[in-house]
Amino acid sequence: MSNVERFSIEDDSVNLLLNKFQAHRGHTLNSPTVSATLTSPLEGIIGVKLVHWAGQNDNGPHYHLNKTTGHTKIQHDEAEKKLNYTSGSLNLALNTSANELALEFQSPAGKKLTGQSFRSIGYVRDQRTEKHRYEDGMFAERQGYMLAGLDLGVGEKVYGLGERFGPLAKNGQTVDIWNEDGGTSSDLAYKNIPFYISSKGYGVFVNHPGKVSLEVQSERTTRVNISVPGEEIEYFVVYGATPKDILNRYTSLTGRPALVPSWSYNLWLTTSFTTNYDEETVTGFLDGFRDRDIPLGVFHFDCFWMKSYQWCDFDFDSDMFPDALGYLKRLKERGLRISVWINPYIAQASPLFEEGKKNGYFIKRTDGSVWQWDLWQAGMAIVDFTNPAASKWYNAHLERLAEMGVDSFKTDFAERIPVKGVQYHNGADPERMHNYYALLYNKIVYETLSNRVGRNQGLLFARSTAPGGQAYPVHWGGDCESTFEAMAESLRGGLSLMLSGYIFWASDIGGFEGTPPPALYKRWVQFGLLSTHSRLHGSSSFRVPWIYGEDCSDVLRDCVKRKLLLIPYILQEALKGHGNGTPLMRPLFLEFPGDLNTYAIDTQYLFGPNLLVAPVFTEEGEVTFYVPQSPDDEAGKWISWFDHSKSYESGRWYTETHGFDTMPILIRPGSVTVTNPTIKGPEDDALEGIELLVNGRLRAETTVEIVNSAQSDEILKTVRVSPTEDGKVEANGHSVKLVYVA
């Protein structure tokens, strides 16, 4: 489309009719038009909706978006043929001159951020589809796709799009937003989010629950080409002066991340996936952790807590656990929280299958029969969560387990959702339900727990998600191999998800597939205990440390206790992320957008704002890392966590070799990091024993928030740390210990 035929202004929106190049009136015949609507759901966010045919049925689903009114300004200059649509600090300049259609999104200074220029809006037909029949002549049908191409500038980088395991910068990649179970060594992803952040100061959210295809400089080097099947596409440009501002606005649109209970920051241990285990095996593991003084907070029963072929029936296998209720009680007496594995599927051998079939609780074929197949579980059916009765039925089984003592559910799968020849209870479009299904699944399970334990106290361990899923934490990285390369893939996936509206993430420590060699196990332990959530998990082998050598037990103990030391810091940063969408694990450029060297780095990260972490990805312990530049550099140098006499210059690369008792963890200059070396678990008293680590000179007053470990959205006390004339600091009269690291 290259011409604005006409437009109208209605309250806070603009409606336009777009068509092809118009040399004369005859060009209005035998060619399509596209209707465009400009809207602004929230200040600083502008949406463009492009529609080819408006007569299609809309059976949903739709992502929930938060909206307000009264923040837009519309100006039209008839003489100049210009229209400006402004929302807060973001302006969309539209050229309405004949055959000169152009959309340009501009910063407050009038600088172009992105836009749609020549041949960037279109409707594409593909006759290579099943419904196309040549003999139908002029009435032959074709699959249609809406296309929107958004401009990229020189050197501009693109990030996000969910948990993706390839290079952090998505330039040169083709990305399909389509949930699939592909592990971490492919371009498939469990967590597909059609939202990206640009290094130029804006983000783009494509508001479409179906398959969204993005060509990020992979088809045209000057654009991100976005296409969706069907007759319409809608995208929102999200402005932000910094990457954090963009995440703040995006999560205000799609939903703020929920908080999690403090106990979830403990170390989690699982039975692993296909291992043989019973009560005696589990008890032996727990005794081993106790005897080695390794703090453990959560025990997870993976899938074989239920009988084979009966997943899910929500009943402990009586052959392995003859007294399940009593055993869970005994685990609770050890001070452990309990997690169990579930999925949204009901196998034919499950006692629940006939009940679900009879009452219409499953996704159906178009002939009304239950949709089934033999992959994963024999005769597997899928619960239809668009049916309120089915959701209530599923919920009742979760409630029963919660009554037994289960604290959390690992919501596995939800990617294997069919799209052809199926129907939902509410008539929803199957293709649009494919990704959206994971959102429904996690929502129902999360709300089951939250309704029992209160606000911000529910917790999942989820593999799949969709936009808005940050409201149902936590998410983990899926099936990775037991290699250093897969560990690096996992980190890239986690950082990519953190740029997509999520603030919590975990990986399978040690790798899922295979058995890790001791060196890899110890290095993944170091990395995994500096993730927001930490779980030892594998496929066919256990992940208890002494299997790999007692030195692995020593490394795990040290890493767990270091994380416990940091609990006040983690609670503080999680609460901030809950309010503004800033994740705890941060790519370097998110914290240091002014340092251009940080934009290509995906092998290290910031844990909160103050700690630089560079995981070791080599057998020999060699690691190369970059120390970023920031306005805080005048406050001093970065300091090693392990050796306070060791300092690092900003803006430099370093190569070091580390034994298994250390790794590169650097404390930011001019920072105050709240710790507590006295606590034994995340739920311990948050105030008693607080220490503030001070590195260098403070440029201004720093606020430290002590968060209630019993209710993670409450601040117990605010400590204001101020610089003094002699370069030291004072802590607002509160009895906290100041520890100077430089």
Side-chain angles (χ1 to χ4, degrees), residues 428-488:
D429 181 338
E431 292 220 13
R432 295 168 71 97
M433 276 295 299
H434 175 81
N435 290 347
Y436 192 89
Y437 184 92
L439 199 63
L440 278 184
Y441 170 41
N442 288 332
K443 179 177 186 289
I444 286 164
V445 180
Y446 180 83
E447 290 181 348
T448 298
L449 293 169
S450 294
N451 290 339
R452 291 180 59 86
V453 296
R455 71 186 191 280
N456 293 312
Q457 295 297 300
L459 178 77
L460 308 178
F461 224 85
R463 187 168 78 170
S464 300
T465 191
Q470 60 267 19
Y472 318 117
V474 164
H475 296 82
W476 103 96
D479 298 350
C480 47
E481 298 169 353
S482 294
T483 64
F484 282 108
E485 291 76 13
M487 180 177 155

Side-chain angles (χ1 to χ4, degrees), residues 164-177:
R164 317 210 77 83
F165 304 106
L168 187 64
K170 302 301 181 286
N171 301 67
Q173 300 180 36
T174 297
V175 175
D176 286 334
I177 303 298

Side-chain angles (χ1 to χ4, degrees), residues 53 89 130 135 146 202 241-242 317 324 348 368 373 430 432-433 508-509 537 563 597 607 618 622:
W53 286 341
S89 301
E130 293 179 1
E135 60 268 23
M146 287 300 300
Y202 68 93
T242 68
D317 184 345
Q348 187 165 290
W373 69 352
R432 295 168 71 97
M433 276 295 299
D508 288 340
I509 295 177
H537 183 59
K563 186 175 184 182
N597 293 315
F607 193 53
T618 63
E622 185 176 277

Side-chain angles (χ1 to χ4, degrees), residues 300-422:
H300 169 74
F301 293 88
D302 221 59
C303 50
F304 279 97
W305 67 275
M306 294 178 284
K307 282 187 182 295
S308 58
Y309 294 109
Q310 294 186 193
W311 306 338
C312 286
D313 62 7
F314 306 104
D315 282 325
F316 277 84
D317 184 345
S318 59
D319 293 335
M320 298 298 178
F321 299 94
D323 177 24
L325 181 61
Y327 188 55
L328 294 189
K329 182 179 179 181
R330 291 189 287 276
L331 292 179
K332 291 284 188 175
E333 290 170 351
R334 286 176 172 258
L336 292 169
R337 300 283 181 160
I338 306 299
S339 169
V340 298
W341 174 98
I342 61 173
N343 61 39
Y345 312 135
I346 308 294
Q348 187 165 290
S350 168
L352 302 182
F353 180 84
E354 284 299 324
E355 183 181 353
K357 174 185 175 183
K358 176 182 177 182
N359 292 298
Y361 294 158
F362 301 139
I363 295 173
K364 296 179 179 179
R365 299 187 186 276
T366 53
D367 64 3
S369 63
V370 174
W371 186 92
Q372 291 178 266
W373 69 352
D374 285 334
L375 293 182
W376 182 237
Q377 286 287 278
M380 187 185 84
I382 304 175
V383 179
D384 183 352
F385 291 119
T386 72
N387 182 347
S391 298
K392 185 177 180 180
W393 174 68
Y394 196 87
N395 171 276
H397 290 288
L398 303 182
E399 287 278 5
R400 174 169 53 82
L401 287 166
E403 288 289 341
M404 292 176 63
V406 172
D407 299 286
S408 180
F409 296 101
K410 174 183 169 181
T411 51
D412 206 356
F413 282 87
E415 306 92 12
R416 298 181 180 183
I417 307 300
V419 297
K420 291 188 177 182
V422 298

Side-chain angles (χ1 to χ4, degrees), residues 34 109 268 281 310 397 489 570 588 600 647 721:
V34 169
W268 296 46
T281 306
Q310 294 186 193
H397 290 288
E489 290 167 356
I570 293 171
L588 267 59
S647 63
V721 184

Side-chain angles (χ1 to χ4, degrees), residues 158-164 168 170 193 195-197 496 499-500:
V158 172
Y159 304 89
L161 298 175
E163 182 191 47
R164 317 210 77 83
L168 187 64
K170 302 301 181 286
I193 312 295
F195 169 72
Y196 65 82
I197 287 181
S496 188
L499 293 172
S500 305

Side-chain angles (χ1 to χ4, degrees), residues 661-697:
D661 56 341
T662 64
M663 64 182 295
I665 304 175
L666 276 56
I667 306 172
R668 184 175 181 169
S671 67
V672 178
T673 305
V674 57
T675 67
N676 191 328
T678 69
I679 63 175
K680 304 300 182 183
E683 296 177 279
D684 286 357
D685 187 291
L687 284 171
E688 187 67 29
I690 286 291
E691 292 185 358
L692 302 182
L693 304 186
V694 182
N695 180 19
R697 299 180 301 277

